[in-house]
Amino acid sequence: MARNVALYLVSLLNPKNWVDFSWDLEPIVESYPFAVHGSSSRANPGYNLLSVDVAASIIRVRSKRCTGSRVAQSTGCPSCAGLGPSIAVVRGWAQESPGKKPSNRLSHKQLARKVDGLFKQLQNERLKINNSRKYLIRAKRRIESYRKLVDVISTNDVPGLPRLLSTANKEGWGASKTTDKANLAIRGRYHPCNYTDLDKDLAILAYEYGGDALLHALHKSPFAFPTRFTIADLRRSTSLSITVGPVKMTDILKNIEILFKDIPVGKEGRDEIAGDGHEIAGLCEHANTELDTLKMGSDLTAVHAAAKAVREGRVHVGKEFSVAAISRHSSSDYGAKPVLLMATCKQNSWQENAKILQMINAAWKISPYGEILHGPIPAYASDGDPKRKAALYLLCMHREVKPGDALYPHIAGLRGLNLFTSEDFATMEFDPKHSWKRIRKTFCSKEGLLANGVVVNKNLLAQWLERLSGHDWSGQSIHALLNPKDAQHVPSTVKLLTLIGDLRFLDASNFTPAEANTHRALCILGEMFDALLDPFINPNLSLSQEIIQLVKFAHLSCAWYLRHGSAFMPPQLYGDLQCLVKSAIFKIAHSKVLNPSLKVFLCLLGDDVLEILFGRSRMIGGHAPNMAIDELRRRFGSALRIDEIFKRRPELEKLAQRLSLGRSRDVDHLSPRNFTGDLAASSCDIKACYDEGVQQAVEFLKRYGYDIDFEALFSKPDVDLMRPNGGKYPGVSKEVDRSLDEDIDLSAPGDGSALSPAEILRFDGAAALAAEKAACAAPPQPHSVWIKLDADDDRKAAHKKTILRTLMDPTLDLEHAKSHDRLLRIRCFSIGGEKWDRSLSKVHDKSAEEHLLKLEGLFATLVAVNKTQVSLAILHCTVIKTHATNPPTYLDAAPIAELSLPDSHYEVSGQILSLVPFVDQSDILSWAWSTRFIGFESAKTKHANSTSAALQRHLSICINGRLALPLSTPDLMPARALLDDLAAGVLPDAAEAVETTWIFSNSQLDAMKNTLLARGEQEDIRLQIPVYGPVKEGGTFPYEVSLRSGTLVSHCLPSIVAPSPKDGRRKCLICGKDVLGTERQNHMGRHILLSLRGIKENNLIATISSSYPCGFCGGTTSNGACSLSIRSGKAISTCLEVYEFQVKAASKSTNAKACTNVPIQCALCSQTHWKYNMAAHLAESHPRWEITTDKQKRQDFETKIALADDEERRLGAITQETEKRQATSPPDTPRPSKAARIADDALADSLDYDTAGVCSGPGIEMDVD
């Protein structure tokens, strides 16, 4: 009201013009923004407010630009009259929301509204402050809770912490509850069991690598791994089926299902595998035919029968295992998956092996998880076992790939490639690493390898490897390389073969004629083995380059095998290497048919993946690498589980990160991931690569004077790389394979020997499976793990495993000469090998060279050629061996003064020089070496067609040191000048490649002949002259020539009578009959045994000595006569009728050679006696030995010296009349055998009964599922 009065007064005091406007916003006092007219207001409405009529809502205003004049019928000027828009603007201000507008533009109503808003905002801010205070209090409490949780976690080892936190997050626990749970876990009162797949995988790895003890420790540790019970179901999923008795299709099918189906095997599958169980596992495959049943049953009948069969030798405790596995040819998951596990005594026949392979192939075809899902089997791999090899040749070499077959377009036109495969186009392949080791074994044999007429053995290699400059021998000496303690060490084998290749680059400018000739042979071998190794150890090669190298090797080895036969290398080894090359080519062809983009990894050829599985299984055993059959199954399952985990989680596997191929040890660890070249099958043009490999081989052979036309050679029928001579395959030759440790008799008896090849090839897997199911159709009988020992007393019961352990001794069947424990083999406790100490070879280093016979030197000796003609021979020394140590030691040199001593313990080997006579301008007769060596036929061969193996042995002549006459270095003459003096064609082409050759004057040969004549007239030396047949190759021998004058110059010694050939017939000193040399021990053994048994023989010319008769002559060995010893496994004697034979081979009685009268070293002293004399020796020298000797030692020695009834029957010591008389005699009171008494005593001593009838004892394992 006061405001209105003030405005009114203003209007009175300023009587000017004005204009009234209506204000339609009610009420005007509250709605009009009076503050816009204030002096501090920035708003400019353009007029002044003069008065307000509250009642009429009218405002009186005057324009600020009022002129004072009036318009007609108006109280204001035009400016005042035009204030309508300005009033509208102010009215708009009054209607706006106050918001953040300045207060001097707001009306009372707007100000009130703004104040109300600010008050509410103030209230909200006050609430926020209060809430923030509350939030702060709660945050402090929460921080305290988390601090306590962090303190508990950081200051304590909380078991299963990740799983505890995972559960807390899932369940929504707070920090306090989580802390409480952590404290409970620390005290062991809470165990988070929400194990992840990673936890279970790590637990399985810990259990498989470290066993239950490690997993238990990790379970009790802060990691809180799952227990073995938690992972039990996961581990059982790979429990394989063991074959007990004969191989069964059902066992193979079950294992294929376990390993190859995508869905894990559940409990039902395991129950089916278990069957009715309780069979005796661990016996060899012949147990099924020798025993009525392998089921334990409810009494001791089956166990006693099995124990008796083991002790009698009809059944063996399987000391080895036969394992068949299937693997993928891929860059990943290429591990072997075993589908067959069985114990074996390794006495089965090759027919049985073939049948087993047929059963596996048939099972793979039948199984819904085999060929249907994963395709057919394209190759069969083996380590080269002779019996398995014969089986593979039967199965994989009977169908030839012909036009129309899917493989034919890829392998057509490869001249020389053998195209025979199995019915399903599968090939056979032999592990390359095993073949490499066999090559080294051949080098280290006495015969060595024959290349270009030079015998290359370890002694020769030792001399040449020392010439390599710039090689670091600190890691391994030459001696250790050539005489390895562990013959299975692949890196040292690869190192040796690569070093032989390095010999090609030696400077040959200063070599002597013999050295130049030897170097050429080493270059040939180096080039060939470099082509063999490079594709497998050089990861940078492409697939095409690998095939070129392998084809080159195949043709080089074929050429030298054609020239030298098995003297070059054993035919079995040659066949295996050619199979390897063939399989590589077929592997590419199979990949091109299946998918050309697939990669081909040559490093996966062979059975190395199975060796890796064996290695991992042995590693799992830790300190007990040897195992029984059920333990092998468990370890195989462990290894397969580890592979599966590493496949899912490759980051967990420890891989070699820094393989350096400069280190030979790394080549044994190369895997598909290491090969970086282009290995796709589509990248390899097989035909072009094959032709390139052949061309490189031909060019190399021409460089060394060997011109061969492979195209003409392979155009002949039945001639290819695997059959270079046509006819039979060398790979299954019956010759002795010197690349193996021991000989294998392919005619060994076995259950499958009655099967013909046609029956094996016609094997019907479906019919065999149906027959097995029909035999098992009867429901399983209930059984118990206990056997009652007394039918009348239920408390006397024993566990079946305990009974087996007690009644059977698993060590009866083991060979003690060699250990299957790799740790022992590495430490050299069991396999021997040559000693590291080379002091014997260096003992004469300080002597003058003229007083030594050194390797690569020359010596003269006497040799009987054509069986009767003794002649002078000059030899190039290749081996010097002394028997002063056991085993014999190979030397670099020997003192000349000691060689010819009466008791010389030296043996010298060498090759006879082929000498060519010529007369110089002074008419002086001389003899020149033609760079070739003389080779002989065997003395026992009637026709000039001896095998190449015999020829190889007779290229290298071995004599006693007393027959060796060392020579000083003869004169040297330029080879070119010599050619001018000789008729064309006398010297071979190879002579043109050497600068000099050796020249001997005829007077020098006469002097040698006279010196050796004096020695040869001594009877004991004469008998040691080696006897051979006619000359086979290398030139003419003996050294003789007819001069122009008609004079015959001959260096034969007709006054010396050649000894009888070692392999020829000789008169028996007892009966006078002609006996073949190799039969003398067997023939004389019969005389000795009949004499011991008191059986008289008619028409004898002498009698057997009654005092320790000699096994060669029948005379006494007492008082030093006919002394006897064993050296390097051979019988050695001073008897004049002696001949060397292998003791181990002769200790087995067969129909052909029944006598086992071999030298045996007494187990109680160091004396060696013939087996038939050992009873007399024991009675004379050790009368109480059966009482004082350890039981196990006594049993082993009794087994060794015992005579089997079959042996006596074959030798005639047990006749039909004797057996008839024994059969008609009244029976005595039955008395258990000695072995049975020992077993019963052991059982009584070891079983400890309690009130529950539980007992325990040591022994072998039984398969109880």
Side-chain angles (χ1 to χ4, degrees), residues 394-413:
L394 172 65
L395 300 179
C396 299
M397 302 293 286
H398 73 93
R399 174 176 179 176
E400 186 176 10
V401 179
K402 296 182 177 180
D405 296 329
L407 292 177
Y408 187 80
H410 304 289
I411 57 177

PDB file of all heavy atoms in Angstrom, residues 394-413:
ATOM      1  N   LEU A 394      55.540-110.339 -45.309  1.00  0.00           N
ATOM      2  CA  LEU A 394      54.413-111.143 -45.778  1.00  0.00           C
ATOM      3  C   LEU A 394      53.190-110.271 -46.016  1.00  0.00           C
ATOM      4  O   LEU A 394      52.508-110.403 -47.048  1.00  0.00           O
ATOM      5  CB  LEU A 394      54.092-112.235 -44.752  1.00  0.00           C
ATOM      6  CG  LEU A 394      52.803-113.034 -45.017  1.00  0.00           C
ATOM      7  CD1 LEU A 394      52.931-113.831 -46.301  1.00  0.00           C
ATOM      8  CD2 LEU A 394      52.487-113.939 -43.840  1.00  0.00           C
ATOM      9  N   LEU A 395      52.910-109.366 -45.086  1.00  0.00           N
ATOM     10  CA  LEU A 395      51.669-108.592 -45.158  1.00  0.00           C
ATOM     11  C   LEU A 395      51.771-107.405 -46.109  1.00  0.00           C
ATOM     12  O   LEU A 395      50.770-107.042 -46.735  1.00  0.00           O
ATOM     13  CB  LEU A 395      51.288-108.094 -43.761  1.00  0.00           C
ATOM     14  CG  LEU A 395      51.053-109.160 -42.695  1.00  0.00           C
ATOM     15  CD1 LEU A 395      50.721-108.514 -41.364  1.00  0.00           C
ATOM     16  CD2 LEU A 395      49.934-110.106 -43.114  1.00  0.00           C
ATOM     17  N   CYS A 396      52.946-106.803 -46.215  1.00  0.00           N
ATOM     18  CA  CYS A 396      53.068-105.535 -46.944  1.00  0.00           C
ATOM     19  C   CYS A 396      53.745-105.662 -48.300  1.00  0.00           C
ATOM     20  O   CYS A 396      54.077-104.643 -48.914  1.00  0.00           O
ATOM     21  CB  CYS A 396      53.845-104.520 -46.093  1.00  0.00           C
ATOM     22  SG  CYS A 396      53.057-104.120 -44.522  1.00  0.00           S
ATOM     23  N   MET A 397      53.973-106.875 -48.765  1.00  0.00           N
ATOM     24  CA  MET A 397      54.672-107.034 -50.034  1.00  0.00           C
ATOM     25  C   MET A 397      53.982-108.058 -50.928  1.00  0.00           C
ATOM     26  O   MET A 397      54.639-108.861 -51.598  1.00  0.00           O
ATOM     27  CB  MET A 397      56.125-107.468 -49.775  1.00  0.00           C
ATOM     28  CG  MET A 397      56.933-106.515 -48.919  1.00  0.00           C
ATOM     29  SD  MET A 397      57.244-104.931 -49.708  1.00  0.00           S
ATOM     30  CE  MET A 397      58.483-105.407 -50.891  1.00  0.00           C
ATOM     31  N   HIS A 398      52.659-108.046 -50.954  1.00  0.00           N
ATOM     32  CA  HIS A 398      51.983-109.056 -51.772  1.00  0.00           C
ATOM     33  C   HIS A 398      50.995-108.466 -52.774  1.00  0.00           C
ATOM     34  O   HIS A 398      50.404-109.197 -53.553  1.00  0.00           O
ATOM     35  CB  HIS A 398      51.254-110.057 -50.863  1.00  0.00           C
ATOM     36  CG  HIS A 398      50.021-109.514 -50.215  1.00  0.00           C
ATOM     37  ND1 HIS A 398      48.774-109.658 -50.766  1.00  0.00           N
ATOM     38  CD2 HIS A 398      49.840-108.841 -49.064  1.00  0.00           C
ATOM     39  CE1 HIS A 398      47.879-109.085 -49.977  1.00  0.00           C
ATOM     40  NE2 HIS A 398      48.500-108.590 -48.944  1.00  0.00           N
ATOM     41  N   ARG A 399      50.817-107.150 -52.778  1.00  0.00           N
ATOM     42  CA  ARG A 399      49.943-106.533 -53.789  1.00  0.00           C
ATOM     43  C   ARG A 399      50.696-105.385 -54.442  1.00  0.00           C
ATOM     44  O   ARG A 399      51.191-104.489 -53.770  1.00  0.00           O
ATOM     45  CB  ARG A 399      48.658-106.016 -53.150  1.00  0.00           C
ATOM     46  CG  ARG A 399      47.802-105.239 -54.145  1.00  0.00           C
ATOM     47  CD  ARG A 399      46.487-104.791 -53.559  1.00  0.00           C
ATOM     48  NE  ARG A 399      45.715-104.041 -54.525  1.00  0.00           N
ATOM     49  CZ  ARG A 399      44.490-103.583 -54.327  1.00  0.00           C
ATOM     50  NH1 ARG A 399      43.888-103.820 -53.168  1.00  0.00           N
ATOM     51  NH2 ARG A 399      43.844-102.906 -55.248  1.00  0.00           N
ATOM     52  N   GLU A 400      50.772-105.398 -55.752  1.00  0.00           N
ATOM     53  CA  GLU A 400      51.486-104.359 -56.486  1.00  0.00           C
ATOM     54  C   GLU A 400      50.524-103.254 -56.894  1.00  0.00           C
ATOM     55  O   GLU A 400      49.402-103.511 -57.339  1.00  0.00           O
ATOM     56  CB  GLU A 400      52.154-104.953 -57.726  1.00  0.00           C
ATOM     57  CG  GLU A 400      53.044-103.963 -58.462  1.00  0.00           C
ATOM     58  CD  GLU A 400      53.763-104.606 -59.626  1.00  0.00           C
ATOM     59  OE1 GLU A 400      53.428-105.773 -59.972  1.00  0.00           O
ATOM     60  OE2 GLU A 400      54.659-103.963 -60.203  1.00  0.00           O
ATOM     61  N   VAL A 401      50.948-102.017 -56.715  1.00  0.00           N
ATOM     62  CA  VAL A 401      50.143-100.868 -57.132  1.00  0.00           C
ATOM     63  C   VAL A 401      50.146-100.813 -58.657  1.00  0.00           C
ATOM     64  O   VAL A 401      51.208-100.790 -59.287  1.00  0.00           O
ATOM     65  CB  VAL A 401      50.709 -99.568 -56.538  1.00  0.00           C
ATOM     66  CG1 VAL A 401      49.886 -98.373 -57.000  1.00  0.00           C
ATOM     67  CG2 VAL A 401      50.746 -99.649 -55.022  1.00  0.00           C
ATOM     68  N   LYS A 402      48.969-100.773 -59.221  1.00  0.00           N
ATOM     69  CA  LYS A 402      48.832-100.824 -60.674  1.00  0.00           C
ATOM     70  C   LYS A 402      47.953 -99.683 -61.171  1.00  0.00           C
ATOM     71  O   LYS A 402      47.292 -99.014 -60.375  1.00  0.00           O
ATOM     72  CB  LYS A 402      48.237-102.172 -61.101  1.00  0.00           C
ATOM     73  CG  LYS A 402      49.144-103.363 -60.782  1.00  0.00           C
ATOM     74  CD  LYS A 402      48.533-104.667 -61.281  1.00  0.00           C
ATOM     75  CE  LYS A 402      49.478-105.845 -61.016  1.00  0.00           C
ATOM     76  NZ  LYS A 402      48.921-107.128 -61.493  1.00  0.00           N
ATOM     77  N   PRO A 403      47.936 -99.459 -62.488  1.00  0.00           N
ATOM     78  CA  PRO A 403      47.056 -98.413 -63.032  1.00  0.00           C
ATOM     79  C   PRO A 403      45.613 -98.633 -62.581  1.00  0.00           C
ATOM     80  O   PRO A 403      45.115 -99.759 -62.575  1.00  0.00           O
ATOM     81  CB  PRO A 403      47.218 -98.563 -64.544  1.00  0.00           C
ATOM     82  CG  PRO A 403      48.564 -99.177 -64.712  1.00  0.00           C
ATOM     83  CD  PRO A 403      48.768-100.085 -63.536  1.00  0.00           C
ATOM     84  N   GLY A 404      44.966 -97.551 -62.233  1.00  0.00           N
ATOM     85  CA  GLY A 404      43.610 -97.628 -61.704  1.00  0.00           C
ATOM     86  C   GLY A 404      43.560 -97.455 -60.196  1.00  0.00           C
ATOM     87  O   GLY A 404      42.527 -97.062 -59.646  1.00  0.00           O
ATOM     88  N   ASP A 405      44.652 -97.739 -59.513  1.00  0.00           N
ATOM     89  CA  ASP A 405      44.714 -97.507 -58.070  1.00  0.00           C
ATOM     90  C   ASP A 405      44.940 -96.024 -57.810  1.00  0.00           C
ATOM     91  O   ASP A 405      45.588 -95.321 -58.608  1.00  0.00           O
ATOM     92  CB  ASP A 405      45.836 -98.319 -57.430  1.00  0.00           C
ATOM     93  CG  ASP A 405      45.589 -99.818 -57.550  1.00  0.00           C
ATOM     94  OD1 ASP A 405      44.401-100.197 -57.561  1.00  0.00           O
ATOM     95  OD2 ASP A 405      46.563-100.585 -57.645  1.00  0.00           O
ATOM     96  N   ALA A 406      44.431 -95.540 -56.692  1.00  0.00           N
ATOM     97  CA  ALA A 406      44.514 -94.105 -56.386  1.00  0.00           C
ATOM     98  C   ALA A 406      45.949 -93.630 -56.253  1.00  0.00           C
ATOM     99  O   ALA A 406      46.273 -92.476 -56.574  1.00  0.00           O
ATOM    100  CB  ALA A 406      43.732 -93.815 -55.105  1.00  0.00           C
ATOM    101  N   LEU A 407      46.839 -94.495 -55.779  1.00  0.00           N
ATOM    102  CA  LEU A 407      48.228 -94.090 -55.581  1.00  0.00           C
ATOM    103  C   LEU A 407      49.038 -94.083 -56.867  1.00  0.00           C
ATOM    104  O   LEU A 407      50.076 -93.411 -56.946  1.00  0.00           O
ATOM    105  CB  LEU A 407      48.909 -95.027 -54.572  1.00  0.00           C
ATOM    106  CG  LEU A 407      48.444 -94.978 -53.121  1.00  0.00           C
ATOM    107  CD1 LEU A 407      49.182 -96.031 -52.315  1.00  0.00           C
ATOM    108  CD2 LEU A 407      48.678 -93.599 -52.529  1.00  0.00           C
ATOM    109  N   TYR A 408      48.610 -94.823 -57.848  1.00  0.00           N
ATOM    110  CA  TYR A 408      49.447 -95.061 -59.021  1.00  0.00           C
ATOM    111  C   TYR A 408      49.864 -93.778 -59.739  1.00  0.00           C
ATOM    112  O   TYR A 408      51.047 -93.651 -60.120  1.00  0.00           O
ATOM    113  CB  TYR A 408      48.740 -95.996 -59.997  1.00  0.00           C
ATOM    114  CG  TYR A 408      49.614 -96.422 -61.142  1.00  0.00           C
ATOM    115  CD1 TYR A 408      50.549 -97.441 -60.980  1.00  0.00           C
ATOM    116  CD2 TYR A 408      49.523 -95.797 -62.386  1.00  0.00           C
ATOM    117  CE1 TYR A 408      51.369 -97.824 -62.029  1.00  0.00           C
ATOM    118  CE2 TYR A 408      50.341 -96.174 -63.440  1.00  0.00           C
ATOM    119  CZ  TYR A 408      51.260 -97.189 -63.256  1.00  0.00           C
ATOM    120  OH  TYR A 408      52.076 -97.562 -64.291  1.00  0.00           O
ATOM    121  N   PRO A 409      48.985 -92.791 -59.964  1.00  0.00           N
ATOM    122  CA  PRO A 409      49.437 -91.590 -60.698  1.00  0.00           C
ATOM    123  C   PRO A 409      50.582 -90.854 -60.013  1.00  0.00           C
ATOM    124  O   PRO A 409      51.351 -90.168 -60.679  1.00  0.00           O
ATOM    125  CB  PRO A 409      48.160 -90.723 -60.742  1.00  0.00           C
ATOM    126  CG  PRO A 409      47.036 -91.686 -60.573  1.00  0.00           C
ATOM    127  CD  PRO A 409      47.543 -92.741 -59.659  1.00  0.00           C
ATOM    128  N   HIS A 410      50.702 -91.005 -58.715  1.00  0.00           N
ATOM    129  CA  HIS A 410      51.734 -90.264 -57.985  1.00  0.00           C
ATOM    130  C   HIS A 410      53.063 -90.994 -57.931  1.00  0.00           C
ATOM    131  O   HIS A 410      54.100 -90.368 -57.661  1.00  0.00           O
ATOM    132  CB  HIS A 410      51.251 -89.978 -56.561  1.00  0.00           C
ATOM    133  CG  HIS A 410      49.952 -89.242 -56.495  1.00  0.00           C
ATOM    134  ND1 HIS A 410      49.825 -87.914 -56.838  1.00  0.00           N
ATOM    135  CD2 HIS A 410      48.700 -89.660 -56.146  1.00  0.00           C
ATOM    136  CE1 HIS A 410      48.572 -87.537 -56.695  1.00  0.00           C
ATOM    137  NE2 HIS A 410      47.866 -88.568 -56.276  1.00  0.00           N
ATOM    138  N   ILE A 411      53.077 -92.302 -58.153  1.00  0.00           N
ATOM    139  CA  ILE A 411      54.327 -93.060 -58.055  1.00  0.00           C
ATOM    140  C   ILE A 411      54.678 -93.752 -59.373  1.00  0.00           C
ATOM    141  O   ILE A 411      55.666 -94.476 -59.431  1.00  0.00           O
ATOM    142  CB  ILE A 411      54.251 -94.109 -56.929  1.00  0.00           C
ATOM    143  CG1 ILE A 411      53.071 -95.062 -57.159  1.00  0.00           C
ATOM    144  CG2 ILE A 411      54.127 -93.449 -55.573  1.00  0.00           C
ATOM    145  CD1 ILE A 411      52.978 -96.163 -56.135  1.00  0.00           C
ATOM    146  N   ALA A 412      53.901 -93.524 -60.392  1.00  0.00           N
ATOM    147  CA  ALA A 412      54.187 -94.143 -61.687  1.00  0.00           C
ATOM    148  C   ALA A 412      55.446 -93.517 -62.282  1.00  0.00           C
ATOM    149  O   ALA A 412      55.703 -92.323 -62.137  1.00  0.00           O
ATOM    150  CB  ALA A 412      53.008 -93.954 -62.634  1.00  0.00           C
ATOM    151  N   GLY A 413      56.232 -94.318 -62.947  1.00  0.00           N
ATOM    152  CA  GLY A 413      57.425 -93.811 -63.618  1.00  0.00           C
ATOM    153  C   GLY A 413      58.637 -93.687 -62.726  1.00  0.00           C
ATOM    154  O   GLY A 413      59.681 -93.205 -63.188  1.00  0.00           O
TER     155      GLY A 413
END
